[in-house]
Amino acid sequence: MSDGVTRTGDVFGAGCASLPKESGNEGSLDGMVDDPVATAAGNNPLLTKLVTAVKAAGLVDTLNKTDAKYTVFAPYDPAFEALGQDALNAVLSDKPKLTTILTYHVVPQRMDRDDILATATLPTAQGGTLKVAGSGDNVTVNGSKVLCGNIPTANATVFVIDKVLMP
């Protein structure tokens, strides 16, 4: 198993094309590489609803710990929209439930695509497990498609996914 640290050239998936390309844009791959994961997500235009949820749960400081190593499965905005506004508002106002859902998306170990595929079952910070399947650029986590994976941040490897995972 590797140390899970990726480089910008290691990203994969069609969704990566949606990331900003301008150098100097903190939401671009080059911009996210030196920020801890919550800050990097906050600069990424695909993850605005995730960042709102992370703030509501009070998890920004935890996710930004510089000595932490995480693998984060980050639902993009349409994944949250698919829940429906009423369901989303209900979850955002229930901090314990929101924290449970969000920590289910975090593996407390830094892993890249090859690591998650080799392991296949990942223990989450929430206490549950995620099932990873696929090969090459076609990777799923609990049936959710990885749209853009191996995104490097200062303390995490991020995989943008197309669904909100429920424990």
Side-chain angles (χ1 to χ4, degrees):
M1 187 169 299
S2 75
D3 64 2
V5 176
T6 56
R7 311 282 178 262
T8 57
D10 298 330
V11 299
F12 69 93
C16 297
S18 299
L19 296 173
K21 303 285 186 267
E22 310 82 33
S23 67
N25 184 322
E26 288 296 310
S28 71
L29 286 173
D30 289 334
M32 291 189 294
V33 104
D34 59 352
D35 288 329
V37 67
T39 300
N43 294 325
N44 188 309
L46 301 177
L47 304 175
T48 62
K49 293 188 181 349
L50 174 62
V51 171
T52 297
V54 166
K55 288 178 181 175
L59 293 172
V60 172
D61 289 343
T62 299
L63 291 172
N64 274 348
K65 285 183 181 173
T66 55
D67 60 345
K69 295 182 185 333
Y70 298 119
T71 301
V72 177
F73 297 96
Y76 77 143
D77 285 352
F80 283 95
E81 292 161 8
L83 297 175
Q85 196 59 52
D86 290 344
L88 183 57
N89 288 342
V91 170
L92 288 173
S93 64
D94 183 343
K95 189 174 177 179
K97 183 174 186 175
L98 180 61
T99 300
T100 297
I101 292 168
L102 291 175
T103 56
Y104 187 62
H105 290 77
V106 178
V107 174
Q109 177 182 356
R110 194 160 180 166
M111 303 173 85
D112 64 15
R113 169 182 50 194
D114 294 340
D115 293 337
I116 67 170
L117 286 170
T119 306
T121 303
L122 307 173
T124 70
Q126 173 266 347
T129 57
L130 300 174
K131 293 185 188 306
V132 181
S135 63
D137 290 357
N138 190 12
V139 178
T140 61
V141 180
N142 283 15
S144 177
K145 184 171 178 46
V146 173
L147 303 172
C148 182
N150 277 353
I151 300 170
T153 71
N155 68 342
T157 301
V158 178
F159 295 82
V160 176
I161 58 175
D162 70 351
K163 292 186 179 102
V164 176
L165 306 174
M166 295 295 179

